Amino acid sequence: MSPVSPELDERILLRMATSRDAAMASAVLERAHFIPHVCDNVGALVQALLRGAGAIMLAEEVLVGPALVELTGALAAQPPWSDVPVLVLARQGADSRAVANAMDEFANVTVIERPMRVAALVSAVRTALRARRRQYELRNLLEGLRDADQRKTEFLATLAHELRNPLAPLGTALSLLQRKRPVPEEAAKYYELMTRQVEHMVRLVNDLMEVSRITRGKIELHLGPVLLDAVIDDAVELSRPLFDRAGHSLTVEVAGDPLVVRGDAVRLTQVFSNLMNNAAKYTPAGGRVTVTARQEGRQAVVSVSDTGTGLEPDMLKAIFEMFVQVSGTARDAQGGLGIGLTLVKSLVELQGGSVEAASEGLGRGATFTVRLPLMKNSTLSVRQTPMSQDGWGPSIEGTILVVDDNRDAADSLAELLGSMGATALVAYGGEEALELAREHDIDIAVLDIGMPGMDGCELARQLRAQPRGKELKLIALTGWGQQGYRERIAAAGFDHHLLKPLSLDEFMAAL
């Protein structure tokens, strides 16, 4: 019973006893700005009902024999959300067998005695349509939930697939290292392989966390004057490997005058890098990608165009929604969760801009256009660099306590810290950690928060209470980055809060 148009949803289907009655009722409804639809018989009314109706108005005289059975069957076959209001115009007294049958058979029926006042009829129809519109709201909600559930199911299947992909080479490399026991020179290629796959998994998880933070309004932007050509250069460098592997030609055309916007340079680099990555992934080998930046009025306009798989018209807006994937193109993209465009839209809108997609159809490429408000009378004398390329120091001095109930995580981190020159101590629980802290002079403690029994926050408070507790540097290590966790961690006395998996850049910066 999907509507063809809003007019069909609002129609009042009429089946009167005579054509004269039908004409009179239709005229009354038209004067009240309703949409009457006269049916010559109940069979025609049932067919009209299948196309859409706001309410049904019937004369008592037509509710007899096969007509009543046919209409009862049609009303019983409505979808779960639908309960079409039926108005029965009855002879005075309203106690005939036809009216009694109608009240027994129809779930949503109102009986109006004739003769009736026009105002009473109009009021009854208006009430019926108001109830019908609430049903349409329920229909739209159910359809939205069904679509969202389908998208989530597809998304989770994609997520499982994308997470399995790096696990396969990781498992194979580990098996080879265990079986072959290669010398360090030969083992280096396996370590490089494992590093690449771990980095890929980290990117997937980071994307998920990023979407979660943005949709809940928990992301922080560092706004300031940003030179767009510098941001585009950085985004090109990040996406360059994808273009090189696919043999794409990349053309960048930036306006001669500087385009300065107020934004977050790191996040804008992420926006344009995501758009370029999408263009590279969904364009067949040897394709063309063009990036242009220009000024239109008081806006900076950046477009990323490709010669790839393109988009159908109904996907041009839906493509930015969470969990939406373009049908038939999953095999064209080389991995990823399909949430990059959701990130793009959210980040652009947070910085006062907009993004839209355009395409002439499947197989004819696509263009994504970002519009950002230009700053007035702003200049930049120094090129901004969103991504730091600095490396981390090769050595650490001092005694570091690593506490994590995940033994593999604790042991591997301690071994890494030991390889960098630190004296690393390991504990797998709070009590064991407190005992080690009493026996050794600890300089730094890296604590997992989500431990059973004594969690990391309680352990931090007890470590602070020890004689040298105030001098101790406490680093929280957790998979949770929400604001509530950050506030709880700060209240426990931690100096730094780092997210798993540990980034050595961030860790060395904290030290």
Side-chain angles (χ1 to χ4, degrees), residues 183-203:
V183 297
E185 293 77 12
E186 184 184 353
K189 63 180 180 181
Y190 299 119
Y191 296 137
E192 291 173 2
L193 179 152
M194 294 166 69
T195 299
R196 287 195 301 272
Q197 299 307 319
V198 168
E199 288 174 350
H200 177 62
M201 293 184 72
V202 169
R203 282 196 299 272

Side-chain angles (χ1 to χ4, degrees), residues 110-304:
T110 300
V111 178
I112 304 174
E113 288 190 11
R114 300 182 306 222
M116 78 210 70
R117 292 175 62 87
V118 170
L121 176 63
V122 170
S123 176
V125 173
R126 186 173 288 120
T127 300
L129 281 179
R130 189 179 300 117
R132 185 62 169 164
R133 291 183 188 116
R134 286 198 292 270
Q135 295 176 25
Y136 294 145
E137 292 173 2
L138 177 61
R139 173 195 64 191
N140 296 337
L141 176 62
L142 290 174
E143 290 178 353
L145 290 173
R146 184 170 58 248
D147 292 344
D149 185 63
Q150 178 63 25
R151 287 187 217 144
K152 288 179 182 178
T153 299
E154 295 173 357
F155 174 80
L156 290 173
T158 303
L159 175 60
H161 175 266
E162 290 299 325
L163 289 175
R164 286 194 190 102
N165 277 345
L167 287 175
L170 277 172
T172 301
L174 284 171
S175 297
L176 287 169
L177 289 171
Q178 290 171 341
R179 290 174 63 86
K180 295 177 65 176
R181 306 286 181 181
V183 297
E185 293 77 12
E186 184 184 353
K189 63 180 180 181
Y190 299 119
Y191 296 137
E192 291 173 2
L193 179 152
M194 294 166 69
T195 299
R196 287 195 301 272
Q197 299 307 319
V198 168
E199 288 174 350
H200 177 62
M201 293 184 72
V202 169
R203 282 196 299 272
L204 294 177
V205 175
N206 284 345
D207 279 353
L208 288 172
M209 295 298 293
E210 195 87 309
V211 168
S212 175
R213 284 193 291 268
I214 290 174
T215 54
R216 290 181 294 108
K218 300 296 184 182
I219 192 170
E220 294 182 5
L221 295 178
H222 302 285
L223 300 176
V226 176
L227 191 59
L228 271 187
D229 65 344
V231 166
I232 292 171
D233 286 346
D234 288 316
V236 168
E237 288 306 309
L238 288 174
S239 304
R240 179 74 67 182
L242 281 178
F243 291 109
D244 291 343
R245 282 200 298 270
H248 296 323
S249 67
L250 173 63
T251 303
V252 180
E253 301 172 357
V254 180
D257 294 331
L259 300 175
V260 182
V261 300
R262 179 173 171 77
D264 184 317
V266 172
R267 295 303 186 178
L268 288 176
T269 300
Q270 185 179 4
V271 164
F272 297 122
S273 176
N274 275 350
L275 291 178
M276 292 181 204
N277 288 347
N278 253 29
K281 289 179 179 180
Y282 289 100
T283 299
R288 297 189 312 278
V289 176
T290 303
V291 180
T292 63
R294 63 191 183 278
Q295 178 176 348
E296 288 185 5
R298 293 303 307 163
Q299 287 186 322
V301 181
V302 181
S303 297
V304 180

